[in-house]
Amino acid sequence: MAMFTQKAMEMVRFATFIGVNIIVSYVFISATCVMQIVRVFSNSNYHKCIGILFNMTNFMVGYLTFGLSHPNKYNLIEYGEPIESLCDQPCIVMANHQSPVDIATIMAAFSSKKGGLMGRCMWALWDRLVYSHFGFVCWLHGDMFISWKSKNVYDFIQNHFYQYYLRNPSPKGLFIIFPEGGFHYNMIEGSRNYSKKTGYPMLELVCLPRTTALKAVIDVIKEQNRSEQSEIKENRIPKYLIDMTIAYKDAEKPLYVIDMVSGAAISQNVCVHYRKYTLSEIPEDIDGFTEWLNNRFVEKEKLMKNFYNSECFDDEDEILDKAVCQPRPVKFSDITALSYWALQGIIGAGATLILKSALTNDLDISLFDMGFGITGS
């Protein structure tokens, strides 16, 4: 009987998580449709409003995953260099990728900080994700969906980053990318084969990264920095890269959303390590860039081995600075979550009424004639 009750509660928790995710996604989608009206009069204010909504959506996913589903059972702990000083400026964030929980981890880590960081972010995602509710929300937000089968992927990434990040009417903040190109368990065999062919180190806890996407983005940034006739303001151009390493309790079995939200997974901390680099120190030539990026993932491998051996990300560079090695638990505000939930409820109800009126011809409005589409345009 106790086992049946436990399983039933797990199913209820997971159903609640899915339900709330669908609701906040619906609120974002419906509000985006309605705010095409605002876009007609003020494109910049439209993008600011969309950013606020996107930040609330990301916060709720992170809060539901870590703060609400099982308080104190799954905690998010930060190590490494403090990044609060970078919260008010554009940055590139690159992370290793083991499971879908990585996305919720990034949402939770950055949306818990001041400045509405996740509202001003741009995700670089696999193109198949656009068919999920999260992917459709990101598409409306103007995020980047990459198809590795495309012959012109380098040019596509450059054009998208320039148009929808650098030239966005509302200044962007974080550009988030997973250079491994997919989940670790899908990519590790290809990484091993590539290591055998090229002589690069054989990695096990992370995969050797793909260079195209990050190289395309950094090339655009450096081109803008060199150009004397650039129309992009200096405060919109990223100057730092945040190297984010995510680690779970078990290297062989990272957390998955269904196990974490339902409570089926054992109690554990999800730990992240930050290290920042200036973009100016990254080589521009392809060979130098490839070596630099591969070295970062060799360092990630070392950090993760240290973590699994000692439950700390200590490395030789950080031993000298013990403050950097101290764990910093991420705290979630229940008041903020409740206020966001109430506000999203009001916005969703209002947007539904307006859309219902428009669709029943009570309002002479054609949302699609107003340029409904991704927010970067």
Side-chain angles (χ1 to χ4, degrees), residues 74-143:
Y74 309 113
N75 299 302
L76 179 56
I77 312 294
E78 295 180 323
Y79 295 84
E81 296 183 69
I83 59 170
E84 281 71 17
S85 62
L86 303 179
C87 290
D88 60 347
Q89 57 183 296
C91 294
I92 295 175
V93 177
M94 72 172 187
N96 58 311
H97 204 13
Q98 300 176 76
S99 89
V101 175
D102 297 337
I103 294 176
T105 297
I106 293 174
M107 289 179 176
F110 289 110
S111 64
S112 64
K113 294 174 172 51
K114 295 181 180 179
L117 274 178
M118 293 308 298
R120 296 183 290 111
C121 81
M122 174 181 283
W123 290 90
L125 301 167
W126 184 35
D127 63 334
R128 299 287 180 86
L129 282 176
V130 76
Y131 300 108
S132 66
H133 67 283
F134 167 68
F136 189 63
V137 166
C138 290
W139 178 78
L140 287 174
H141 184 247
D143 293 336

Side-chain angles (χ1 to χ4, degrees), residues 120-292:
R120 296 183 290 111
C121 81
M122 174 181 283
W123 290 90
L125 301 167
W126 184 35
D127 63 334
R128 299 287 180 86
L129 282 176
V130 76
Y131 300 108
S132 66
H133 67 283
F134 167 68
F136 189 63
V137 166
C138 290
W139 178 78
L140 287 174
H141 184 247
D143 293 336
M144 182 186 296
F145 289 87
I146 301 172
S147 172
W148 293 111
K149 295 181 180 180
S150 172
K151 295 180 180 179
N152 300 316
V153 63
Y154 178 88
D155 293 335
F156 164 77
I157 292 169
Q158 285 203 318
N159 291 334
H160 191 101
F161 184 80
Y162 180 78
Q163 292 292 336
Y164 301 129
Y165 184 97
L166 295 177
R167 295 190 64 210
N168 196 285
S170 180
K172 288 289 188 180
L174 305 176
F175 177 79
I176 305 168
I177 186 169
F178 300 101
E180 290 165 299
F183 295 138
H184 176 268
Y185 61 84
N186 285 331
M187 311 303 294
I188 187 61
E189 193 61 36
S191 175
R192 289 168 181 160
N193 292 335
Y194 187 73
S195 295
K196 292 176 183 177
K197 290 180 181 179
T198 60
Y200 283 121
M202 187 76 70
L203 305 179
E204 295 297 332
L205 299 176
V206 296
C207 304
L208 285 171
R210 298 185 177 191
T211 60
T212 303
L214 189 58
K215 183 70 166 67
V217 167
I218 291 179
D219 283 350
V220 172
I221 293 171
K222 296 204 172 188
E223 182 180 342
Q224 293 302 313
N225 286 330
R226 284 194 300 266
S227 175
E228 296 180 358
Q229 299 179 341
S230 174
E231 61 181 21
I232 307 300
K233 295 181 179 179
E234 186 177 353
N235 63 355
R236 290 182 173 229
I237 302 175
K239 293 180 174 60
Y240 292 94
L241 181 146
I242 300 173
D243 187 3
M244 185 176 185
T245 302
I246 304 172
Y248 300 93
K249 185 179 181 67
D250 189 341
E252 299 295 328
K253 291 182 62 178
L255 280 172
Y256 282 87
V257 173
I258 186 170
D259 296 325
M260 187 173 179
V261 174
S262 66
I266 61 173
S267 177
Q268 60 182 280
N269 295 331
V270 177
C271 299
V272 297
H273 178 277
Y274 301 114
R275 177 175 285 168
K276 64 183 180 183
Y277 299 90
T278 59
L279 295 186
S280 60
E281 66 184 279
I282 301 177
E284 291 190 50
D285 65 284
I286 185 61
D287 291 336
F289 176 83
T290 300
E291 183 178 2
W292 183 90

Side-chain angles (χ1 to χ4, degrees), residues 80 273-275 277 299-300 302-304 306-307 310 312-322 324-325:
H273 178 277
Y274 301 114
R275 177 175 285 168
Y277 299 90
E299 288 177 2
K300 283 181 181 290
K302 179 181 176 182
L303 283 170
M304 294 179 73
N306 290 342
F307 174 81
S310 62
C312 183
F313 285 107
D314 285 349
D315 66 17
E316 293 176 359
D317 295 332
E318 293 177 355
I319 292 295
L320 300 176
D321 187 355
K322 291 298 183 182
V324 169
C325 301

Side-chain angles (χ1 to χ4, degrees), residues 346-373:
I346 295 170
I347 293 171
T352 300
L353 290 174
I354 294 173
L355 286 174
K356 184 178 180 181
S357 298
L359 293 173
T360 55
N361 296 320
D362 290 335
L363 290 176
D364 187 18
I365 295 175
S366 176
L367 296 175
F368 290 90
D369 288 344
M370 290 182 181
F372 176 65

